[in-house]
Amino acid sequence: MTPRVPTIGVFDSGVGGLTVLGALLTQASAADYLYLGDTARLPYGSKSRATVARYAVSSARFLVAQGAEALVIACNTASALALDALRAAVDVPVIGVIETGATAALQSSETGDVMVIATAATVESHAYSAACRERGLRAIEKACPLLVPLVEEGWIEHPVTREIVGIYLDDLLSHAAAAGMTADTLVLGCTHYPLLRGVIDATLRERDSGPAVRVIDSAQVTAEQVVVRLALESSAQREPAVRFYATDSVEKFRTLGTRFLGRTIDGVELIDLGG
Ligand code: DGL
């Protein structure tokens, strides 16, 4: 008899969390998944803690009502601002991405100096600085508010995106140097940013600033953590079932999501979580 597998809810404000879902589907295949993109209320990264917590809690409750037995908050902003509220609101294990990102930075950095790019709300919360400090790392954070809309627009290789990424990274590198840091690791502190990985890598190569900078996206590490925390059978070879939900245009989610996830997203259910 085939053993019963758990259903895990994965949640982001949009398509960014698909970077985490993609890692889960390959590394944590002994589970089925529900994915919710709260596209109607995106971006979270420019909103207050209270608003992000309200949106995140309603999204989490929806996923639990659909049968999620654990939640992966595949959104750095919600993980930074609302993890406590989420854990208080639902009765299932909740795994965020900030801790896993900081742990990956610790494994990567030899100098102990780390740069983080994230949404304005994540940076203002200083959740990454705190998580890095706890691990003996020094972190410098930079808000990159224009990147999420560019990703949601699908402008991945666009010249405007290259220009904006260049401006943000130049600013970050010069601030790190002015602070006397020898940063060798860049954490992509927003689940939308791995979709810009090509542009980010190319920009860092062009800048050739001191030690080669290793880029961390927390998707892989988060998937590893999920396997451990939920005691999933890591060797299971199976095709997980996935159901997708979005709070705004299902067609846009399907088209962009298929591109980003690298596999066809057939049915996306439109849901209404209110304002
Ligand atoms: N993907 C989300 C994150 O990791 C942010 C997107 C948004 O601003 O809504 O922070």
Side-chain angles (χ1 to χ4, degrees), residues 13 25 57 110 112 179-180 195 221:
S13 55
L25 292 178
V57 164
E110 286 168 16
L195 300 163
V221 203

Side-chain angles (χ1 to χ4, degrees), residues 19-210:
T19 57
V20 177
L21 180 66
L24 287 165
L25 292 178
T26 50
Q27 289 184 49
S29 60
D32 289 330
Y33 291 92
L34 307 173
Y35 182 94
L36 167 59
D38 190 10
T39 41
R41 303 189 289 193
L42 168 144
Y44 281 17
S46 56
K47 299 196 168 73
S48 69
R49 183 180 293 271
T51 300
V52 170
R54 183 159 55 86
Y55 291 176
V57 164
S58 63
S59 301
R61 286 195 173 127
F62 170 80
L63 286 170
V64 171
Q66 302 312 303
E69 296 154 84
L71 292 178
V72 176
I73 310 306
C75 173
N76 287 264
T77 307
S79 300
L81 276 68
L83 206 58
D84 290 344
L86 284 163
R87 287 189 171 138
V90 293
D91 210 11
V92 300
V94 178
I95 298 170
V97 285
I98 303 276
E99 297 286 313
T100 51
T103 299
L106 177 62
Q107 286 157 4
S108 150
S109 179
E110 286 168 16
T111 62
D113 286 343
V114 169
M115 300 179 287
V116 181
I117 54 174
T119 65
T122 299
V123 167
E124 278 155 28
S125 77
H126 296 301
Y128 265 107
S129 286
C132 285
R133 207 168 34 245
E134 277 168 21
R135 290 163 176 76
L137 298 170
R138 216 158 43 136
I140 185 163
E141 300 161 291
K142 166 92 189 142
C144 303
L146 296 175
L147 299 188
V148 168
L150 289 168
V151 169
E152 289 286 331
E153 204 49 45
W155 283 22
I156 300 305
E157 294 287 342
H158 197 283
V160 168
T161 307
R162 280 201 285 274
E163 176 93 20
I164 290 172
V165 166
I167 293 169
Y168 282 144
L169 290 184
D170 282 342
D171 200 41
L172 178 60
L173 290 167
S174 65
H175 276 98
M181 296 172 74
T182 320
D184 64 352
T185 298
L186 172 69
V187 177
L188 306 185
C190 170
T191 51
H192 280 68
Y193 298 174
L195 300 163
L196 301 173
R197 181 69 187 264
V199 178
I200 291 169
D201 283 345
T203 307
L204 288 170
R205 271 198 308 277
E206 276 165 25
R207 298 318 188 255
D208 190 24
S209 53

